[in-house]
Amino acid sequence: MDYLKIDEVAAQWGISTRRLQTLCAEGKIGGAVRFGRAWMIPKDAQKPIDGRTKQGRADHSRQLNANLPMPRKTPFLYMTDLYAKPGGAEQAIEALADNHEAQVLFAAEIAYSRGEIDKVYESANYLLQKHSGFYAVLSAGMLLALCAIWRGDLNMWRKAKIHISEAAAKDDNDREIITLCICAVDSMLYDVKDFPEWFKIGCFELLHKDSLPAAKVYYAKYIYATAHGLAAQTYEMEGMKGLSLMGLLPATIEPMISQSMADEAVITEIYLRMICAVAYHYSKNDQQALRHIDKAIALALPDKLYGILAEYCRTLGSLIEMRLKAIDETAWNAVNELSKVYVENWSKLGSRITGRQIIENLSKQNREIARLAAFKLSDAEIAARMNMSIPGVKQAIRTIKQRSGLERSDFAAIL
């Protein structure tokens, strides 16, 4: 360990040598060592809070609050019953006033749900710089990764995953939840290959019960991404092909939705409904897809959780527009603008990470046609699904080829 002389540290910290000697004698400087009459202080020692001043007492209070245990043992506070009532986000934030770390974290997660990415970025960095507790560090790292998606920033993405992987795990259970958090982040780009085996079979016994609502969301995302890869033939599963697994997905998610309602976990319910709507949509059952979209919108609007809705405009844009525009055109305009930012930067980051050529300059209709073509549907099947003429589909396929530089057999790369 590197040490500094006491006068060097006193100059750096802006306090007197006498005061610093007293702090060392009182054991308030971690790692300080006495050699005869002189003190040597570790180079990376932290300046203690001065409780004699008003600012110091305030900082001390915040530090105590930051070190309080999380009100739930999970990095996904906003997916728990802390947010149990639509429109109750601000009250839930206020209720955490006695736990500064939890309040900052929960408020950041709500800000993400609203698409307020600048606020999320500031809060995530604050928590990471303050050497927060285990769950707060995990969540802050995940929030930073989500910011990277919204900004298309590869370096930020890498740093975020480093923060998550270096969280101070105390036991094997902590290490498993670190793995889950990294995989949850990767699932945002349809990368699910590294999910642990226990998670792939839906066995969540290694997780604390407070993390179960979030585990359901990421399990649904895992199955959906697997079904998507199977349909696009980028993934193989014995006995399954095409959209067969996608058609089975709602039967898995519907009970999860019912449980999330019983758990009073609003954010969890919104995500599960949107994922289920996507599965129904690709299974040619828009009536059921709209049922879930309507309920998700009803849950999201009271607190303007536009960011969540924007995430699903890539796949459900026309259906979300049809329902939301009829209820609140201003809300739709906000969601649509957020979606443009999300799609562009999600595509940019995804292309750099996966090596796939994800095209963001396709229209919503052409992106949908490309996806169905990747799922190996014929022109006639796509025409029936999209309510288009077959010549119209053929022209769209030509446009997609020109803009992407890909052949039809490689459309899976467009996602």
Side-chain angles (χ1 to χ4, degrees), residues 217-374:
V217 170
Y218 288 107
Y219 186 64
K221 287 187 175 187
Y222 161 72
I223 301 176
Y224 168 72
T226 301
H228 185 285
L230 186 66
Q233 296 186 358
T234 59
Y235 179 79
E236 294 182 0
M237 181 181 292
E238 187 175 352
M240 290 283 183
K241 63 180 181 178
L243 288 165
S244 56
L245 182 57
M246 192 75 76
L248 297 175
L249 189 53
T252 300
I253 300 178
E254 290 280 12
M256 294 184 188
I257 294 171
S258 297
Q259 186 60 53
S260 69
M261 294 171 66
D263 292 339
E264 296 184 304
V266 172
I267 298 290
T268 300
E269 184 180 345
I270 295 173
Y271 271 117
L272 289 173
R273 287 191 182 280
M274 296 306 289
I275 299 167
C276 199
V278 173
Y280 274 127
H281 176 57
Y282 284 132
S283 300
K284 205 177 178 182
N285 191 344
D286 280 352
Q287 182 178 356
Q288 291 300 326
L290 288 169
R291 173 172 66 88
H292 285 295
I293 290 171
D294 288 343
K295 291 186 177 180
I297 288 173
L299 293 171
L301 282 185
D303 273 319
K304 298 183 178 180
L305 306 181
Y306 301 153
I308 299 178
L309 300 179
E311 286 183 28
Y312 289 89
C313 283
R314 278 185 59 83
T315 47
L316 296 170
S318 59
L319 298 182
I320 294 174
E321 178 180 7
M322 178 174 64
R323 297 311 240 215
L324 185 51
K325 207 170 184 179
I327 299 170
D328 187 335
E329 188 166 355
T330 301
W332 162 248
N333 291 336
V335 169
N336 192 36
E337 289 304 310
L338 286 171
S339 173
K340 291 176 184 177
V341 174
Y342 182 80
V343 169
E344 178 181 354
N345 290 312
W346 180 92
S347 301
K348 183 190 301 181
L349 183 65
S351 293
R352 296 183 69 183
I353 290 174
T354 65
R356 296 174 178 173
Q357 186 178 356
I358 303 175
I359 309 301
E360 70 270 11
N361 63 350
L362 295 177
S363 68
K364 292 179 181 177
Q365 183 183 64
N366 282 357
R367 189 179 295 115
E368 180 77 357
I369 289 170
R371 193 184 300 263
L372 294 174

Side-chain angles (χ1 to χ4, degrees), residues 42-66:
K43 188 175 182 179
D44 59 354
Q46 298 294 313
K47 179 182 178 181
I49 293 171
D50 188 349
R52 302 172 300 171
T53 66
K54 182 178 180 180
Q55 182 63 45
R57 287 192 293 273
D59 290 343
H60 183 61
S61 177
R62 280 195 295 272
Q63 187 181 70
L64 289 176
N65 282 335

Side-chain angles (χ1 to χ4, degrees), residues 4-5 16 21 24 66 76 89 133 160 175 183 186 190 194 208 243 249 296-297 313 339-340 346 370 376-377 408:
L4 297 175
K5 295 179 180 179
S16 69
Q21 287 173 333
C24 289
F76 314 95
R175 282 182 278 276
C183 291
D186 287 340
Y190 292 176
D194 292 326
H208 190 278
L243 288 165
L249 189 53
I297 288 173
C313 283
S339 173
K340 291 176 184 177
W346 180 92
K376 310 308 175 186
L377 272 66
R408 183 171 181 143

Side-chain angles (χ1 to χ4, degrees), residues 135-259:
Y135 289 111
V137 168
L138 289 183
S139 189
M142 292 187 68
L143 288 172
L144 197 63
L146 293 170
C147 288
I149 292 176
W150 280 81
R151 294 182 175 184
D153 191 325
L154 181 59
N155 287 332
M156 189 188 299
W157 172 270
R158 288 171 174 165
K159 288 178 182 177
K161 294 182 73 172
I162 290 171
H163 282 302
I164 296 171
S165 63
E166 291 183 348
K170 296 178 182 178
D171 51 37
D172 288 343
N173 283 12
D174 283 356
R175 282 182 278 276
E176 291 294 352
I177 201 165
I178 287 174
T179 300
L180 175 58
C181 287
I182 292 175
C183 291
V185 166
D186 287 340
S187 72
M188 296 294 292
L189 297 173
Y190 292 176
D191 181 358
V192 295
K193 63 180 181 299
D194 292 326
F195 271 110
E197 290 304 316
W198 57 266
F199 186 85
K200 291 179 180 179
I201 62 173
C203 178
F204 304 147
E205 293 177 1
L206 294 176
L207 302 177
H208 190 278
K209 63 182 179 63
D210 290 339
S211 287
L212 294 183
K216 295 187 187 82
V217 170
Y218 288 107
Y219 186 64
K221 287 187 175 187
Y222 161 72
I223 301 176
Y224 168 72
T226 301
H228 185 285
L230 186 66
Q233 296 186 358
T234 59
Y235 179 79
E236 294 182 0
M237 181 181 292
E238 187 175 352
M240 290 283 183
K241 63 180 181 178
L243 288 165
S244 56
L245 182 57
M246 192 75 76
L248 297 175
L249 189 53
T252 300
I253 300 178
E254 290 280 12
M256 294 184 188
I257 294 171
S258 297
Q259 186 60 53

